[in-house]
C-alpha cells in the first residue's frame, strides 16, 4: 500500500512538475513539445499493451479474449463520451481568450475541469495495474502516465496566464489536476483489490482509455506542427524503452 500511495503521488506530481517547467520556459517550441509528447505516447502505448491488455487476456481465463476486447471498447467509449460532454483539451489549449473577466473565468474553469476529468481515468489505469499484483508492470504503467503528464502540465500554463489568471492561482489549478490523478490511482487500486473478479475487465478498460488518449489526442497533436517524422521516431523510441524495461524487469 505504501508503494501504491507513493506512486500515486508521483503520477499526480508529474503534472505539477510540468507546470513548473511551463513557468520556467513560457515559450516552448512546438517541435520540442511534439518530440517529448510522442516519446510519452510510445511509453504509454507499451504500458497499455504490455501492462494492461495482455495481462487482461491472461487473467480472463476461458473468456479472457472476449472480456479484454469488451473492456477496451467500453474504456474508449467512456472517454469518447467525456470528450462530447467536455470540450477537447487541445481545442481549449489553442482557443482564443476573450478579455472579459466573466468569459476568462468560465474558460479557465472549463479548461481545468477538462484536464481533471481526463486525468481521472489515467490515474485509475495506474491503480488497476497495482491491483493486479504485478508491481513491475504497474510501475511501468505509472511511469508512462507520469511522462505524459509532464508535457501536459507544461502546455496548460500559457492559456491560463493569457486568460488573466495569476501565477499563484494557475499553480493551484495545476495542483488540483494532479490531486485528481492521485484519487484516480487509489480508486483503481481499491476497486480491483476489493473485487478481484473484475480484474480482467478493469485492466482492459484502463488499457482502452490509454489507447484512446494516444490515438485521439497525443498522436494528432504531435503530427499537427510539421514535426511528424521526428514525432514518429520518438514514439518508437518510447515504445522500445518500455519494451526493454519490461523484458529486463520480467
Amino acid at each position: 500500500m505504501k508503494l501504491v500511495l507513493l506512486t500515486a503521488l508521483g503520477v499526480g506530481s508529474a503534472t505539477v512538475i510540468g507546470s513548473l517547467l511551463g513557468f520556467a520556459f513560457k515559450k516552448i517550441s512546438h517541435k520540442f513539445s511534439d518530440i517529448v509528447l510522442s516519446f510519452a505516447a510510445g511509453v504509454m502505448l507499451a504500458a497499455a499493451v504490455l501492462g494492461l491488455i495482455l495481462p487482461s487476456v491472461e487473467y480472463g481465463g476461458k473468456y479472457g479474449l472476449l472480456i479484454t476486447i469488451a473492456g477496451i471498447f467500453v474504456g474508449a467509449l467512456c472517454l469518447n463520451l467525456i470528450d462530447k460532454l467536455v470540450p477537447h483539451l487541445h481545442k481549449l489549449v489553442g482557443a482564443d481568450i476573450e478579455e472579459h473577466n466573466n468569459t476568462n473565468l468560465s474558460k479557465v474553469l472549463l479548461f481545468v475541469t477538462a484536464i481533471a476529468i481526463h486525468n481521472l481515468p489515467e490515474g485509475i489505469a495506474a491503480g488497476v495495474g497495482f491491483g493486479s499484483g504485478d508491481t513491475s508492470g504497474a510501475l511501468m504503467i505509472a511511469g508512462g502516465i507520469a511522462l505524459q503528464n509532464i508535457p501536459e502540465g507544461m502546455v496548460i500554463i500559457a492559456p491560463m496566464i493569457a486568460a488573466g489568471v495569476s501565477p499563484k492561482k494557475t499553480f493551484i489549478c495545476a495542483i488540483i489536476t494532479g490531486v485528481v490523478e492521485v484519487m484516480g490511482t487509489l480508486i483503481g487500486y481499491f476497486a480491483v483489490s476489493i473485487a478481484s473478479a473484475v480484474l480482467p475487465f478493469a485492466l482492459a478498460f484502463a488499457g482502452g482509455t490509454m489507447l484512446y488518449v494516444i490515438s485521439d489526442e497525443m498522436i494528432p497533436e504531435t503530427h499537427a506542427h510539421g514535426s511528424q517524422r521526428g514525432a514518429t521516431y520518438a514514439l518508437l523510441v518510447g515504445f522500445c524503452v518500455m519494451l526493454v524495461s519490461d523484458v529486463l524487469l520480467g
Side-chain angles (χ1 to χ4, degrees), residues 18 35 48 79 102 166 196 225 230 233 239:
I35 295 298
L79 280 196
N102 289 338
S166 68
S196 58
H225 311 111
Y233 282 107
F239 186 92

Side-chain angles (χ1 to χ4, degrees), residues 15-100:
T15 301
V16 179
I17 292 171
S19 67
L20 290 174
L21 292 173
F23 280 117
F25 306 99
K26 293 182 180 180
K27 291 186 177 180
I28 301 170
S29 69
H30 277 306
K31 184 175 182 178
F32 175 79
S33 177
D34 290 345
I35 295 298
V36 173
L37 195 59
S38 289
F39 178 83
V43 170
M44 285 184 67
L45 180 59
V49 174
L50 300 175
L52 293 170
I53 294 173
L54 292 181
S56 171
V57 176
E58 180 182 347
Y59 292 136
K62 182 179 179 180
Y63 299 103
L65 186 59
L66 292 176
I67 292 172
T68 299
I69 292 173
I72 289 172
F73 276 96
V74 172
L77 287 171
C78 282
L79 280 196
N80 187 208
L81 178 61
I82 289 173
D83 273 340
K84 290 184 179 297
L85 297 176
V86 181
H88 202 282
L89 280 179
H90 296 298
K91 289 181 180 178
L92 289 172
V93 171
D96 292 329
I97 305 297
E98 300 286 344
E99 292 300 325
H100 305 293

